[in-house]
Amino acid sequence: MPGASAEATGGGATAARERLYVDNAASQALRPEAQEAMERAAGLLNPAGQYKTGRDARRSLEDAREQIAELLGADGAEVIFTGSGTEADNIAIQGLAFGSKAHRGAHVIASSDIEHPAVVESVDWLTAGPLGLGFDRVVLPVDATGRVRAEDWIAGLEGSAGEPSDLALLTCMWANNETGAIQPVEALASFARDNGVPFHTDAVQAVGHVPVDFHALGATTLAASAHKFGGPKNTGLLLARRDAEILSPVRGGGQERKLRSGTVNVQGAVGCAAALASSIKELEQATAKMRMARERLRAAAQGIDGVRIWTPEVGALPGHLHMSFPGAEGDSLIMLLDAAGVDASTGSACSAGVNRASHVLTAMGVPVDVARGALRITLGADITDDQVEYLASILPRVVEQARAAGMA
Ligand code: PLP
């Protein structure tokens, strides 16, 4: 029994579960602080209303905005509430690219192949989509450990005179959702700032899990998502500098600095602020606990023949453990874990229910047959020692059975 004594494993969750949930990078359980804050805000109405209930809703919304700004090293005016992390990425990438084209005539977008589909698809739409939007792409190289080779790329670019002025946008995720590898966002932000190029970072996996300071980083925009740190789903954040030239693809009533039109979800904003405050308050303790649990699981996995571990030992999110077991199919691994009461994933987005080799692993140079045997375990801070031992003990058998089932 994975969770005989288990409370839900998602960062301070409330509901008791009989399952061991180790897919926190996909979505975390709602934190009690977020749930309580949202219950208190349940009666709030239209925050744009010019009357008493409107002012009440607006006050709660602005309090949430200020709290989030303070927690993430931004100004209140820089916090834009969106409908998801995906929407924040879309607004930033399309909006900055269009803004650069309109203001500077720049047309090149620099991004790596390890980004989340929210970024990959946005960049593809601009550079290779059916409408011919007139953008070109340069690829940021990635090394075998899953890190963007920022210094090499910058050195190469600086050698070829004049290119930075063609850059409409440079984008790089803060931490990878599959491997957990932290990316060199400081170097890229600093290069972008020195060359007057907008820099967007998809920090959806980082916010609430590692310290994030928007002003210290110096990015133009940053995307985050509440359900990744124990807030409500469909509540995203876009941090956007006031001088960012963003021609937002979301058109409408002009809410949220005209960047994200649409009536703002006050309950979501309030829940997001409460979850962020709670996750940052517990950050140090949670990090230490998850690291210890992760390393125990890493050691158990290392005892299995042929394992390849993708999560770096240094410079990774604390709860991630991403690995491949060649000869096993990722789908078989997660089905066998599921039958043993464990919720885990392969880590890669599946399209129409079909798991393909992860685009992140293939970008790292991993052969397709190895990439297909991927398993991602992402821990919550309230995982117990018994649960860690349970998972460590069943893993060898799960891999053996998945290998016996063969490749599809
Ligand atoms: N970016 C990254 C790195 C993610 O991991 C995810 C979600 O998995 C997203 C963006 C999309 O976030 P949301 O689910 O809020 O749309």
Side-chain angles (χ1 to χ4, degrees):
M1 273 301 279
S5 63
E7 289 288 295
T9 52
T14 46
R17 289 208 199 112
E18 289 304 313
R19 311 253 331 153
L20 171 51
Y21 182 77
V22 285
D23 197 19
N24 286 276
S27 196
Q28 265 200 2
L30 196 63
R31 288 173 181 266
E33 294 88 343
Q35 188 162 356
E36 283 157 24
M38 288 164 74
E39 278 164 14
R40 282 196 301 277
L44 294 172
L45 296 167
N46 171 26
Q50 305 297 316
Y51 34 70
K52 161 94 174 70
T53 55
R55 286 192 294 280
D56 290 346
R58 203 148 58 242
R59 198 169 308 115
S60 291
L61 178 65
E62 295 314 318
D63 286 351
R65 195 189 306 282
E66 286 302 327
Q67 190 180 6
I68 289 166
E70 201 176 321
L71 291 164
L72 296 180
D75 297 335
E78 294 173 322
V79 177
I80 308 298
F81 290 107
T82 68
S84 61
T86 298
E87 193 186 36
D89 279 328
N90 270 261
I91 294 171
I93 287 169
Q94 295 187 50
L96 287 170
F98 291 140
S100 287
K101 198 161 205 217
H103 291 102
R104 296 191 289 119
H107 64 98
V108 176
I109 299 175
S111 67
S112 79
D113 287 334
I114 60 164
E115 295 287 328
H116 185 273
V119 169
V120 171
E121 296 289 325
S122 296
V123 173
D124 280 357
W125 177 248
L126 293 166
T127 57
L131 297 182
L133 294 168
F135 291 92
D136 295 317
R137 178 171 175 232
V138 294
V139 179
L140 301 179
V142 172
D143 68 19
T145 72
R147 285 205 190 82
V148 168
R149 284 164 40 206
E151 272 82 15
D152 293 351
W153 179 75
I154 291 168
L157 196 65
E158 282 172 347
S160 55
E163 267 206 70
S165 62
D166 291 338
L167 284 173
L169 171 66
L170 172 58
T171 186
C172 181
M173 65 202 326
W174 192 304
N176 184 262
N177 46 299
E178 294 187 22
T179 63
I182 308 275
Q183 302 300 323
V185 284
E186 287 86 2
L188 292 169
S190 140
F191 163 82
R193 214 173 33 249
D194 291 349
N195 290 281
V197 175
F199 175 62
H200 172 66
T201 184
D202 173 350
V204 166
Q205 290 290 333
V207 167
H209 301 280
V210 291
V212 167
D213 187 319
F214 183 58
H215 286 167
L217 177 65
T220 314
T221 51
L222 177 152
S225 180
H227 75 111
K228 304 291 188 181
F229 49 81
K233 299 194 193 354
N234 281 121
T235 304
L237 289 174
L238 176 66
L239 304 185
R241 275 169 58 143
R242 265 178 278 214
D243 62 357
E245 282 165 346
I246 304 174
L247 293 183
S248 176
V250 180
R251 325 292 301 171
Q255 291 91 340
E256 299 297 282
R257 266 176 57 198
K258 294 198 174 164
L259 297 180
R260 199 280 184 176
S261 285
T263 302
V264 184
N265 173 359
V266 185
Q267 285 80 15
V270 163
C272 176
L276 187 59
S278 156
S279 63
I280 290 176
K281 191 167 147 214
E282 291 172 6
L283 190 62
E284 216 173 301
Q285 228 180 340
T287 300
K289 178 144 184 233
M290 287 192 290
R291 273 219 184 105
M292 203 185 291
R294 191 261 307 279
E295 291 315 311
R296 165 72 187 103
L297 291 171
R298 188 197 294 272
Q302 276 163 341
I304 299 172
D305 238 19
V307 66
R308 304 283 306 275
I309 298 190
W310 311 120
T311 301
E313 287 187 21
V314 179
L317 295 171
H320 271 63
L321 184 61
H322 193 224
M323 52 207 162
S324 289
F325 298 97
E329 192 75 70
D331 280 347
S332 306
L333 294 168
I334 56 176
M335 276 165 53
L336 287 158
L337 284 170
D338 186 13
V342 178
D343 298 336
S345 84
T346 63
S348 69
C350 69
S351 148
V354 183
N355 262 318
R356 301 209 190 98
S358 144
H359 72 282
V360 173
L361 295 181
T362 49
M364 288 160 57
V366 176
V368 167
D369 56 324
V370 176
R372 275 180 42 193
L375 173 66
R376 181 187 70 178
I377 288 167
T378 50
L379 307 174
D382 51 1
I383 189 152
T384 64
D385 291 347
D386 284 353
Q387 289 172 330
V388 173
E389 289 314 317
Y390 174 73
L391 190 46
S393 72
I394 64 166
L395 203 52
R397 183 170 42 87
V398 162
V399 173
E400 194 185 315
Q401 288 177 353
R403 281 177 170 158
M407 304 293 283

